[in-house]
Amino acid sequence: MVEDEENLAESLRRGLSADGHIVDVAHDGHRGLDLALAGGPYDVVLLDLMLPGPGGHAICTRMRAHGDTTPVLMLTAKDGDHDVAEGLDAGADDYLTKPFSFVVLAARIRALARRAGAGDDGGGPLQAGDLVLDPRGRRCRRGGRDIELTARELGVLACLMQQPGRAVAKQDILDEVWDPPQAVDPNIVEVYVSSLRKKIDAPFGRRSILTVHGTGYRMAPDGG
Ligand code: CA
């Protein structure tokens, strides 16, 4: 989300997090452009039109010039047809005129993410033995049982399952799952790994997330 009205950005971030999304926020166009081009991959990018630094149009144009096809939802305070046409010309997939209701925004995001996911084989289910994680559907199963995970737990687990057998540094997990502007202690990852183990391993008598001392964690390719 690239939105310079900080109160609006914070309330949207909270609402979207409550909906199970992991949201990175930029408050100006420069940071927004950096995140859009290198912070992802994202399922959807929300771009405010008027921003300090490069505006929403410029960011969207640059993304498309880089071959980035991530769905873009443009947020605009203007509602002239001209602006809408401009946004769509820049490669935006949809737009929403402020003020908008959160319910409408959430529905548009779901629709965009679904449309993008339809032709995408990069976000398919991840598997390690009988442990199955569907990051897009936000579902985790083991031994035929559904396991309830929070958005962050799901992000950490997906990060490990995408690289089975490989040691993944705590900092890399942090970079992948946490909002980059937050200065978070990498040890926070331990808290999430510990709660994941209680959900996906302990009840099944398994050890799928292995500690790699001095580095981070490794997913057992066979699910432990
Ligand atoms: Ca603005």
Side-chain angles (χ1 to χ4, degrees):
M1 182 195 322
V2 190
E3 170 59 68
D4 61 318
E5 289 169 51
E6 299 198 12
N7 291 338
L8 175 64
E10 178 54 19
S11 79
L12 295 179
R13 189 195 64 75
R14 271 195 223 148
L16 292 169
S17 298
D19 265 4
H21 298 286
I22 296 175
V23 189
D24 290 344
V25 181
H27 293 129
D28 65 74
H30 294 291
R31 175 83 187 135
L33 189 56
D34 286 349
L35 277 182
L37 295 181
Y42 294 110
D43 295 319
V44 176
V45 173
L46 301 186
L47 278 182
D48 184 28
L49 191 61
M50 303 292 285
L51 294 162
H57 285 156
I59 294 173
C60 192
T61 304
R62 287 282 296 278
M63 285 172 64
R64 298 310 185 223
H66 276 73
D68 186 335
T69 59
T70 307
V72 169
L73 175 55
M74 201 80 87
L75 306 177
T76 167
K78 310 173 182 179
D79 61 353
D81 289 338
H82 182 63
D83 301 307
V84 170
E86 256 182 74
L88 297 176
D89 277 351
D93 298 271
D94 198 0
Y95 67 92
L96 210 48
T97 305
K98 294 179 189 174
F100 48 80
S101 85
F102 179 76
V103 176
V104 171
L105 175 74
R108 297 283 188 93
I109 289 174
R110 275 197 300 275
L112 283 175
R114 213 167 28 233
R115 220 184 293 163
D120 181 355
D121 51 9
L126 300 164
Q127 193 157 5
D130 63 347
L131 180 65
V132 182
L133 179 69
D134 173 8
R136 282 198 189 277
R138 304 188 183 282
R139 289 186 71 193
C140 180
R141 286 176 74 78
R142 170 156 244 178
R145 269 159 63 185
D146 278 315
I147 301 169
E148 198 83 30
L149 298 180
T150 66
R152 286 265 199 240
E153 288 168 348
L154 196 142
V156 171
L157 184 58
C159 191
L160 292 168
M161 288 182 77
Q162 276 155 4
Q163 315 175 64
R166 259 196 55 199
V168 185
K170 284 182 207 167
Q171 186 64 52
D172 290 341
I173 297 174
L174 204 63
D175 291 345
E176 177 90 18
V177 183
W178 269 259
D179 196 351
Q182 290 174 349
V184 185
D185 187 326
N187 290 323
I188 186 76
V189 174
E190 285 174 25
V191 175
Y192 284 87
V193 166
S194 159
S195 71
L196 273 170
R197 282 173 168 155
K198 283 182 193 143
K199 291 182 176 182
I200 65 168
D201 282 346
F204 302 90
R206 310 286 285 277
R207 282 185 68 226
S208 63
I209 304 178
L210 309 171
T211 300
V212 182
H213 289 289
T215 307
Y217 301 96
R218 186 163 65 83
M219 170 58 56
D222 64 355

